[in-house]
Amino acid sequence: MEIFDILESNERLSQFHGEALYDLDLFTLGKYAQKSRLKRYGNKTFFNSNRHINPTNICADVCKFCAFSANRKNPNPYIMTHEEILHAVKEATKNGAKEIHIVSAHHPDAGVSWYMDIFKKIKQAFPSLHVKAMTAAEVDYLARRYDYSYDEILDMMEKNGVDSMPGGGAEIFDEGVRSRICKGKVSSKGWLKIHQKWHERGHKSNATMLFGHVESRAHRIDHMIRLRELQDKTGGFNAFIPLVYQRENNYLKVERFMGSQEILKTMAISRLMLDNIPHIKAYWATSTINLALIAQEFGADDLDGTIQKESIQSAAGAQSAGGLKLKDFTDLITTSGFIPVERDSLYNEIKQY
Ligand code: V47
């Protein structure tokens, strides 16, 4: 079948056709992605009031793309006490945060209870806050380090108050690329298995894809198809988040920042490939806020949130360290021609601005 026949009839796109989408010009591709986005959400752009907290940067793994973990290029190891974390959460709630997004490095000696007590203490002090925490990479690391099964770690997360899982650690599923950029970290199969188990317990999660480094277009399409297959089984992914690779202070030598057209094409293609994942998040911390707003015209419908503090991407050069003020955020969405809709972590609408 011709690519346009498939797009017109909303049929599923194969690996072959997914790759072929990149050969369309940006505006033709965008038109089809936007049709899907407008049919689902009209002119709404979703965001949430959230705060990211990264309790430690001391990591047993060496992912070549990472500038956040403490290493020779970032000789600044830290581990927050639970009191410091609770203080940060308190400040965040004063500033309106309804979700705390917690991602830690893979600390070799902190112990499982250091991780789990963070969630327990936050839930005790702030029962209505949504705790989004523990990437599948952290689950896998703790399971291997302390000899637990994935189910045992997931049991502990449930018991201690984790509400949903973030999409981190997926990177690129292709095993060849994975061994080049993050050897030793959770395997693709492990990542998908952990999310499958989490979904089967009735919980939601997100899925990321790190792109713009050494992967090919074919690898990105393969990544999307593996997620689509799991989503067919579980329906547990809320959002797909293509993360634009940031190049500074790390060990992966990539000469150039990816071009805006390729970024927008990838956003549009993810809307078209992932017909069963409700939301496409243009994470402004990695794409810049301006491109994330333009991505709203190319299939994306979400921007993540106000963030308040961002440490992972800003360590690698992104201009996201201080987050964005709510008023600036909603004004930017409005002046871009979209309706700012504050949502909760599970995409229930809270307020239109
Ligand atoms: O998995 C690390 C990425 C991720 C770099 O679920 C980098 O709602 C770009 O997953 N350039 C963690 N990215 C962050 C994450 C996330 C972010 C926002 C929302 C959600 C969600 C999840 O950060 C890691 C890794 O892929 N990352 N280094 C870098 N140099």
Side-chain angles (χ1 to χ4, degrees):
M1 234 173 151
E2 285 284 324
I3 188 91
F4 287 111
D5 294 333
I6 298 177
L7 288 169
E8 289 294 342
S9 62
N10 291 323
E11 280 202 34
R12 268 221 159 154
L13 290 148
S14 63
Q15 174 80 31
F16 175 80
H17 287 119
E19 288 176 41
L21 289 175
Y22 274 106
D23 296 327
L24 298 180
D25 77 88
L26 177 64
F27 292 103
T28 306
L29 180 59
K31 187 185 86 178
Y32 284 104
Q34 201 58 359
K35 204 168 129 196
S36 165
R37 184 247 201 257
L38 290 172
K39 201 167 126 203
R40 290 162 192 260
Y41 309 113
N43 262 352
K44 291 176 179 173
T45 284
F46 298 99
F47 72 96
N48 68 350
S49 289
N50 63 348
R51 158 84 200 243
H52 289 209
I53 299 181
N54 306 111
T56 180
N57 67 351
I58 299 170
C59 201
D61 282 313
V62 187
C63 297
K64 288 200 178 148
F65 53 77
C66 185
F68 166 67
S69 74
N71 56 46
R72 268 187 292 121
K73 292 203 180 182
N74 174 24
N76 185 25
Y78 72 81
I79 177 163
M80 293 168 79
T81 63
H82 289 166
E83 287 63 41
E84 285 169 330
I85 295 168
L86 282 173
H87 180 72
V89 174
K90 193 169 168 194
E91 289 302 303
T93 56
K94 274 197 213 149
N95 292 329
K98 298 182 182 71
E99 171 191 284
I100 302 293
H101 177 168
I102 302 172
V103 173
S104 284
H106 308 160
H107 197 296
D109 310 307
V112 177
S113 57
W114 177 80
Y115 282 79
M116 297 298 157
D117 287 352
I118 296 174
F119 317 133
K120 186 161 83 191
K121 288 179 180 171
I122 293 176
K123 272 287 159 171
Q124 271 166 359
F126 307 93
S128 62
L129 259 189
H130 183 102
V131 175
K132 182 163 87 181
M134 293 288 289
T135 65
E138 288 169 84
V139 174
D140 172 80
Y141 178 72
L142 292 183
R144 282 188 288 129
R145 170 73 180 82
Y146 297 103
D147 204 18
Y148 287 108
S149 67
Y150 287 162
D151 276 309
E152 285 170 318
I153 300 286
L154 298 179
D155 285 344
M156 290 185 234
M157 286 159 56
E158 277 181 336
K159 200 170 124 244
N160 288 286
V162 173
D163 294 299
S164 67
M165 279 178 65
E171 321 314 355
I172 280 281
F173 289 143
D174 176 83
E175 282 72 13
V177 175
R178 214 169 171 79
S179 79
R180 247 178 102 186
I181 66 172
C182 55
K183 200 173 168 61
K185 190 155 105 168
V186 63
S187 67
S188 311
K189 278 206 178 101
W191 192 97
L192 290 162
K193 181 50 80 193
I194 290 164
H195 281 262
Q196 178 169 358
K197 284 177 174 292
W198 185 246
H199 296 167
E200 284 168 356
R201 290 162 178 252
H203 303 300
K204 295 288 183 184
S205 69
N206 291 332
T208 55
M209 174 180 80
L210 183 67
F211 73 111
H213 43 89
V214 299
E215 88 294 352
S216 67
R217 288 171 167 180
H219 294 137
R220 292 179 217 148
I221 301 295
D222 166 64
H223 188 94
M224 293 176 202
I225 289 177
R226 294 198 210 189
L227 289 171
R228 189 172 73 186
E229 283 169 0
L230 178 55
Q231 181 75 343
D232 274 344
K233 287 191 204 148
T234 66
F237 289 119
N238 266 336
F240 177 66
I241 310 159
L243 298 169
V244 184
Y245 171 65
Q246 312 292 308
R247 295 174 304 131
E248 292 175 20
N249 308 321
N250 64 22
Y251 293 98
L252 198 59
K253 290 197 173 56
V254 175
E255 293 274 305
R256 291 192 176 154
F257 198 68
M258 172 164 273
S260 305
Q261 284 221 11
E262 190 75 3
I263 295 172
L264 289 176
K265 279 189 173 184
T266 304
M267 302 266 182
I269 290 171
S270 39
R271 178 63 289 160
L272 294 167
M273 291 298 297
L274 297 170
D275 52 8
N276 56 0
I277 296 190
H279 297 279
I280 304 295
K281 185 187 283 192
Y283 182 48
W284 64 266
T286 67
S287 62
T288 74
I289 184 66
N290 290 324
L291 197 62
L293 287 161
I294 297 193
Q296 304 299 307
E297 300 183 45
F298 289 82
D301 60 273
D302 191 276
L303 291 169
D304 198 71
T306 41
I307 297 179
Q308 295 188 20
K309 187 173 190 298
E310 198 288 307
S311 308
I312 299 180
Q313 276 82 19
S314 55
Q319 303 297 307
S320 49
L324 274 169
K325 289 203 181 70
L326 182 64
K327 172 118 180 37
D328 294 344
F329 205 60
T330 53
D331 282 354
L332 275 166
I333 297 171
T334 308
T335 52
S336 303
F338 290 90
I339 305 164
V341 178
E342 184 178 346
R343 57 162 177 87
D344 69 12
S345 306
L346 302 174
Y347 285 88
N348 300 300
E349 291 188 19
I350 297 176
K351 180 175 172 184
Q352 289 197 12
Y353 287 78

